[in-house]
Every structure is written in structure tokens, then in C-alpha cells.
Amino acid sequence: MFDGYTSSELMSIFAMQGFAGLSLFSVFVLMALGLTIIFGQMGVINMAHGEFMILGAYTTYLTSGFFQSYLPGLFGGYFFIAMILAFLVCAALGALVEWLMIRHLYHRPLDTLLATWGLSLIMQQAYRSIFGAREVGVDLPQWMLGAFNVTDLVQLPINGLFVMIIALSIAVGLYLLMYRSGYGRKVRAVVQNRPMAEAVGINSAGIDRATFALGCGIAGVAGAAFTMIGSTGPSSGQAYIVDTFLVVVFGGAQSLIGTIVSAFGISQAQSTMEFFLSGSMAKVLTLLVVIGILMLRPEGLMALKVRR
């Protein structure tokens, strides 16, 4: 597999693929963090999570077009506005979905799976009707173009670095929210012992709605970041939902740290193997390794003790 490459070429290849893996890691982290707090706290298998990501991407696309047409002088900073709008739009829709549908299906995981799968199909068709079946892309501000030359063979794209900064910032912010705030204490109380949390006066229904909205909002931010590295289509979210569930299960369903570690390992493994093998074979080998580890450690890399 390594025949014909010099040692310096191999080092450059691994460096480039490692950075490509970090870009994939950033999308995985943003997608999986939202899914982790939804699945970990509420036990809801949200098959429409990828469509919430694409809603955030389309929100960014519309924001880009608005700034280009009406505020061209401020186009360089449109992405920061787009991220906020993507979060708010997806969080609002997530709260509405939880109130209309999800709250009636708690403790029925198979029903939530079917219901959210149906929701994903509805959202995909809505995107096709509104935006068309063809993929769309955003124009990047001038400061996001170009790359840093690390060596003669290794370049680090600025937009990829920016996506990683977003992912790390969201991860740190979510950690502070969950472990350094009153809301986070209530969430962790509901996760660890829901009946006792309700007995001491915590509104678990309100916490569930806020958490579902937060998870969908983070998926929207993932969609905004996704536009920096790829084009957006009605079914683009389906390409990431399976990998995202894999990241969540492998890391541990209630563990934020486990999710980040899992996302890093899976993204790096896939990116590196894709250079030497086909993309599908790289996914198969990654999946086999993950299944093997889960057979030895079914609770995932880092599991949280939960009382039922």
C-alpha cells in the first residue's frame, strides 16, 4: 500500500489527510454534540437531525444571498450573522417539533425513530420544493479564501481552520453550559435520575423541550459550518446521519467528552484510509473496528452512570 512513496511524501500525505480528517471531525463534532444531548437525555432517536443541519445550511445560503444583494459592504462578516440565524431558526423549529410530536412519544424509542424518519422525508421534500433538487453553495468572504503553506506539499485552507475554530468554540461553550450553569445541573439531574429530579421541583418537560431545541440549534450551526467546505442539497444530511449516530454510540450516549474523542478517532481513521483505499472500503473498515470495540465495551468509550 505504501510502495512508491518516499518517507517525506508519506509524512506529507499523512499530514494532509490528517488535516482533512480534522475538517470532517469538526462537522462530526457539531452534529454529534446536538445528537448526544438529545439522545442521551431524552432517549429520542432523531433521524431528522441531518435535515436540521441542512436547514442551517440553507439559512446560511439565504443570508449570503441577502448580504450580496442588499449589504455588499458588510459581506465579509455575513457568516457570523448566518450562524446566529441558523441556530435560532433550527432551535425554534426543534422546539415546535418537540411540542407537536416528540413529547407524545417519550419512552417509545421505536416510535420516535419512525416519526422523526418521516419528518426527515417531509423536510427533504420541502427543501426540494423551495430550493430545487440541485445542490447550492455559498460565496466565501475574501478573508476565508486561500491557505497557509506549512511545507511545499502541505497547505492548510483558511476556511477549514475556521470551521475547526467554530467546532472547538461550540464544544467549549456546551461544556460550560452543561457543567458550569444552573441549566446544566438540571439537565444532568434529569439524565441521571428523572423521577428524583421531578420530585425536587425540576420541570423535566421544559428541560426536554429546551434540550431538544438546543440540540437542533447546534445542528443548524453545523449546517452553517458545512457550507464552508461543501455544497448543500435536499438530501445532503443523509450522508452524515449514520456516521453521526456511530460517533454518539461509540463515544457513549451521555458523554460529551466521549463524543469528541469518538469523532476525532473516526474522522481521522476514515480520512487516512480514504487516501489509500476507496471511500466505501474506508467506511467499512472503520465500522468493523468500531463494532469490535463495542463488543468489548458495549457502553462506549466513556459512559455516564444513569439511575432509572
Side-chain angles (χ1 to χ4, degrees):
M1 183 169 60
F2 301 111
D3 293 342
Y5 295 101
T6 65
S7 59
S8 61
E9 288 175 336
L10 283 175
M11 290 296 293
S12 297
I13 288 171
F14 281 115
M16 288 188 295
Q17 293 304 115
F19 182 79
L22 288 177
S23 298
L24 184 61
F25 159 76
S26 302
V27 177
F28 278 177
V29 162
L30 289 172
M31 282 282 287
L33 285 176
L35 201 61
T36 294
I37 60 177
I38 291 174
F39 181 58
Q41 176 190 323
M42 304 161 64
V44 172
I45 304 173
N46 184 15
M47 295 299 293
H49 200 71
E51 279 60 49
F52 279 97
M53 182 188 85
I54 298 307
L55 177 59
Y58 276 126
T59 301
T60 304
Y61 168 71
L62 293 176
T63 305
S64 171
F66 177 83
F67 271 78
Q68 278 185 316
S69 300
Y70 301 104
L71 297 171
L74 300 176
F75 184 75
Y78 88 87
F79 186 74
F80 300 99
I81 303 298
M83 279 196 303
I84 296 173
L85 290 176
F87 177 86
L88 293 177
V89 169
C90 293
L93 180 60
L96 181 64
V97 168
E98 195 279 340
W99 181 71
L100 289 175
M101 182 174 69
I102 301 298
R103 69 190 178 104
H104 303 292
L105 301 175
Y106 288 136
H107 311 299
R108 296 156 61 185
L110 292 180
D111 289 346
T112 61
L113 186 151
L114 290 174
T116 55
W117 178 65
L119 176 63
S120 73
L121 297 179
I122 293 172
M123 294 176 72
Q124 286 181 44
Q125 189 56 48
Y127 297 152
R128 288 191 183 93
S129 300
I130 297 171
F131 299 101
R134 297 181 62 180
E135 293 187 346
V136 298
V138 301
D139 292 326
L140 299 180
Q142 193 64 34
W143 61 271
M144 281 191 187
L145 302 177
F148 294 110
N149 294 317
V150 179
T151 67
D152 292 336
L153 297 176
V154 179
Q155 292 183 328
L156 303 183
I158 294 175
N159 61 330
L161 287 171
F162 185 68
V163 170
M164 282 190 288
I165 292 172
I166 294 172
L168 292 176
S169 300
I170 294 294
V172 171
L174 190 60
Y175 173 83
L176 294 176
L177 178 66
M178 289 299 178
Y179 293 96
R180 295 291 187 272
S181 71
Y183 168 77
R185 284 191 292 272
K186 292 178 181 179
V187 170
R188 287 182 286 123
V190 172
V191 170
Q192 294 183 21
N193 196 325
R194 182 179 290 265
M196 185 60 69
E198 293 173 345
V200 299
I202 295 175
N203 181 5
S204 63
I207 292 294
D208 285 340
R209 186 162 305 142
T211 300
F212 194 85
L214 176 63
C216 293
I218 294 174
V221 176
F226 176 74
T227 63
M228 299 292 102
I229 58 177
S231 56
T232 303
S235 59
S236 297
Q238 294 298 306
Y240 288 90
I241 189 65
V242 174
D243 286 332
T244 303
F245 271 110
L246 187 64
V247 166
V248 171
V249 174
F250 186 47
Q254 288 94 15
S255 173
L256 294 180
I257 303 300
T259 296
I260 294 173
V261 173
S262 173
F264 181 81
I266 291 175
S267 62
Q268 288 296 320
Q270 283 192 12
S271 178
T272 301
M273 286 190 292
E274 280 177 359
F275 185 84
F276 301 101
L277 304 169
S278 65
S280 58
M281 184 57 67
K283 285 183 177 291
V284 168
L285 290 178
T286 303
L287 180 61
L288 289 176
V289 172
V290 169
I291 290 174
I293 295 176
L294 288 176
M295 290 177 66
L296 300 175
R297 190 176 174 82
E299 67 275 15
L301 295 177
M302 300 179 184
L304 178 68
K305 293 182 179 180
V306 179
R307 295 177 182 177
R308 299 296 184 186

